[in-house]
């Protein structure tokens, strides 16, 4: 569907596309799997890729194991950067010896700031999980069976935001948008209405120091 939209509207040279390599589970024929996945994406989307991410963080170790293969991919295909979608800071550190620029996609939000302490020199930095699976976006009840600690955390978090008259979505996005540690951030939406709401928040020119001051007043470091 995306490919048809891009082609119909002649957006091949305008769209900025990221894609992910499916989990390889360290398959011995990983080179064939990666090429097959990439060729399929290029065929259906019909545009170049800004970043080709490893979906499985464990697979990203192949960059160090076989750097020449990935150098060849960058030269042979319309890809700007190889990247890894990671969950733990240690994974970024384990790839610090890579000989070419990487991109990293990692969780970052007002309650999860672990990656702010990680050096990512020569890397493109993409923050995700801005709303922490929705917990930071809404005070609505969590799914049935959610841990009591998580329920209490959500309640306390939104109580503190309400005390300071802070909109949950604006606050969560502002923290990441004004964070000097990230270059880009990702937000998923289900509807056009949700997209318009995000785009119309009017927070992108606010000073980062003001956001951080409100953060320090509203968030307990022990979280």
């Amino acid at each position: 569907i995306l490919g048809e939209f891009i082609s119909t509207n002649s957006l091949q040279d305008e769209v900025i596309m990221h894609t992910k390599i499916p989990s390889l589970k360290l398959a011995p024929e990983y080179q064939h799997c990666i090429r097959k996945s990439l060729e399929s994406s290029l065929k259906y989307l019909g545009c170049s890729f800004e970043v080709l991410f490893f979906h499985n963080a464990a697979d990203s170790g192949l960059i160090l194991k076989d750097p020449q293969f990935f150098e060849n991919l960058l030269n042979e295909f319309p890809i700007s950067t190889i990247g890894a979608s990671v969950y733990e800071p240690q994974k970024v550190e384990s790839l610090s010896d890579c000989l070419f620029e990487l991109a990293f996609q990692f969780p970052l939000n007002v309650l999860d700031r672990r990656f702010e302490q990680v050096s990512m020199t020569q890397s493109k930095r993409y923050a995700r999980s801005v709303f922490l699976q929705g917990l930071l976006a809404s005070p609505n009840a969590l799914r049935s069976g959610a841990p009591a600690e998580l329920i209490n955390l959500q309640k306390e978090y939104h109580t503190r935001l309400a005390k300071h008259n802070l909109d949950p979505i604006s606050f969560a996005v502002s923290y990441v948008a004004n964070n000097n540690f990230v270059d880009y951030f990702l937000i998923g939406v289900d509807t056009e209405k949700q997209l318009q709401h995000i785009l119309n928040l009017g927070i992108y020119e606010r000073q980062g120091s003001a956001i951080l001051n409100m953060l320090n007043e509203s968030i307990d470091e022990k979280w």
Side-chain angles (χ1 to χ4, degrees), residues 6-32:
I6 291 170
S7 175
T8 300
N9 294 278
S10 300
L11 297 174
Q12 294 88 340
D13 297 327
E14 297 181 46
V15 67
I16 298 175
M17 184 69 69
H18 297 174
T19 191
K20 289 186 176 181
I21 303 167
S23 178
L24 301 170
K25 297 181 180 179
L26 300 179
E29 67 279 9
Y30 65 87
Q31 292 189 3
H32 172 72

Side-chain angles (χ1 to χ4, degrees), residues 60-131:
S60 61
L62 293 170
I63 297 172
L64 299 180
K65 177 183 176 181
D66 194 356
Q68 189 58 57
F69 169 70
F70 293 98
E71 286 279 16
N72 291 341
L73 280 184
L74 291 171
N75 292 327
E76 295 174 21
F77 294 94
I79 310 168
S80 297
T81 311
I82 300 292
S85 182
V86 297
Y87 297 89
E88 301 294 336
Q90 294 85 345
K91 193 60 188 178
V92 175
E93 295 165 359
S94 72
L95 295 172
S96 61
D97 292 334
C98 182
L99 300 178
F100 50 87
E101 180 188 70
L102 294 176
F104 288 102
Q105 186 186 114
F106 51 89
L108 180 72
N109 53 67
V110 295
L111 294 187
D112 185 357
R113 308 177 221 162
R114 295 169 298 151
F115 283 87
E116 290 182 346
Q117 310 303 319
V118 181
S119 174
M120 296 188 189
T121 57
Q122 301 300 316
S123 301
K124 296 179 180 179
R125 304 164 300 179
Y126 297 85
R128 69 167 187 272
S129 298
V130 174
F131 299 127

Side-chain angles (χ1 to χ4, degrees), residues 156-172:
E156 177 69 11
Y157 175 81
H158 286 282
T159 297
R160 294 193 183 200
L161 291 191
K163 177 182 177 181
H164 291 272
N165 295 315
L166 295 172
D167 173 67
I169 294 179
S170 295
F171 185 65

Side-chain angles (χ1 to χ4, degrees), residues 130-131 136-137 167-174 176-177 185-205:
V130 174
F131 299 127
L136 305 182
D167 173 67
I169 294 179
S170 295
F171 185 65
V173 175
S174 292
V176 179
F185 60 95
L186 292 76
I187 295 178
V189 297
D190 296 317
T191 66
E192 181 182 352
K193 183 178 179 180
Q194 290 179 0
L195 176 59
Q196 289 295 339
H197 179 66
I198 294 294
L199 294 177
N200 293 329
L201 287 177
I203 52 119
Y204 298 104
E205 295 182 1

